[in-house]
Amino acid sequence: MPGPGEYVPDATEGITRVEDLPKPKIIQRSRDFRRRPCPQCEHSSYRHRRAKRVLHDLGDLASGHPHDIHLTYSVHHCTKCDIYFNADMSDVALPRSHYTYRVVALAVRLVVEDGLPYQAASWHLWRDHRVFVPWATIQNWVEAGGKKGGGPHGGRLPRMGSGRVLRVHRGG
Ligand SMILES: [Zn+2]
């Protein structure tokens, strides 16, 4: 066990083939219910089927392994409205996203608060959090957030001081 402040080289340094990277640890999560209220009419709607999505989460730096959440969720059918809807999983990830909220939040913060270029933010996420996010994906997240926020800085936030402050995510 290395002591505090001891330099520990990244074990993945120099790896060029993605199949040589550490395999993700699979974490099973569930949002699977027999009945859920319809989002339109509140009618208690039975489960129609189960589905699954894979979400890349913040990994484990101690073991070096990425974390993938295999999220099983129920799809419900409202017989009154004749619509299908998923069990609520908005606490974990946005619809259609391949990453958990906390990965998105951390990536956006690295760029917006700490002023890291997209490539550097992508590398930071891999090196220190063991989650691989292409830098163009981070750019999409930041630009999507900027449109929503707007604000007096015209999308550009003031840089922090010269010393970069790495904020620890509050977890979830
Ligand atoms: Zn309904």
Side-chain angles (χ1 to χ4, degrees):
M1 194 75 182
E6 191 172 325
Y7 171 67
V8 185
D10 184 348
T12 65
E13 188 86 58
I15 288 183
T16 52
R17 301 190 317 159
V18 78
E19 57 268 32
D20 292 336
L21 291 172
K23 291 273 174 293
K25 182 183 170 191
I26 309 298
I27 297 148
Q28 303 287 347
R29 299 274 293 273
S30 173
R31 292 290 184 276
D32 183 18
F33 305 93
R34 198 160 154 261
R35 297 201 295 195
R36 289 277 96 181
C38 169
Q40 285 185 13
C41 74
E42 305 270 297
H43 175 68
S44 183
S45 307
Y46 278 102
R47 179 174 55 219
H48 171 71
R49 65 185 177 95
R50 288 188 184 90
K52 194 185 232 185
R53 59 194 288 212
V54 176
L55 296 164
H56 307 304
D57 196 13
L58 299 177
D60 178 8
L61 191 58
S63 73
H65 287 275
H67 281 181
D68 276 354
I69 293 176
H70 285 201
L71 179 61
T72 304
Y73 61 94
S74 44
V75 181
H76 299 260
H77 179 233
C78 175
T79 50
K80 291 194 174 172
C81 308
D82 195 24
I83 59 160
Y84 294 87
F85 61 94
N86 297 335
D88 183 30
M89 49 196 149
S90 57
D91 58 320
V92 185
L94 287 169
R96 287 178 296 280
S97 177
H98 297 292
Y99 296 88
T100 60
Y101 263 137
R102 48 192 206 152
V103 171
V104 179
L106 180 57
V108 170
R109 219 156 19 186
L110 288 169
V111 173
V112 174
E113 287 188 8
D114 301 336
L116 291 189
Y118 296 122
Q119 289 93 336
S122 175
W123 169 241
H124 175 92
L125 286 171
W126 173 257
R127 191 196 62 188
D128 290 353
H129 302 281
R130 281 297 183 258
V131 58
F132 177 71
V133 188
W135 67 266
T137 301
I138 300 176
Q139 184 177 19
N140 288 341
W141 292 342
V142 169
E143 288 176 356
K147 262 177 247 145
K148 246 185 282 168
H153 305 290
R156 289 187 60 202
L157 292 171
R159 295 273 294 254
M160 308 287 292
S162 56
R164 266 181 192 138
V165 184
L166 277 189
R167 277 132 209 279
V168 179
H169 192 268
R170 60 191 147 79

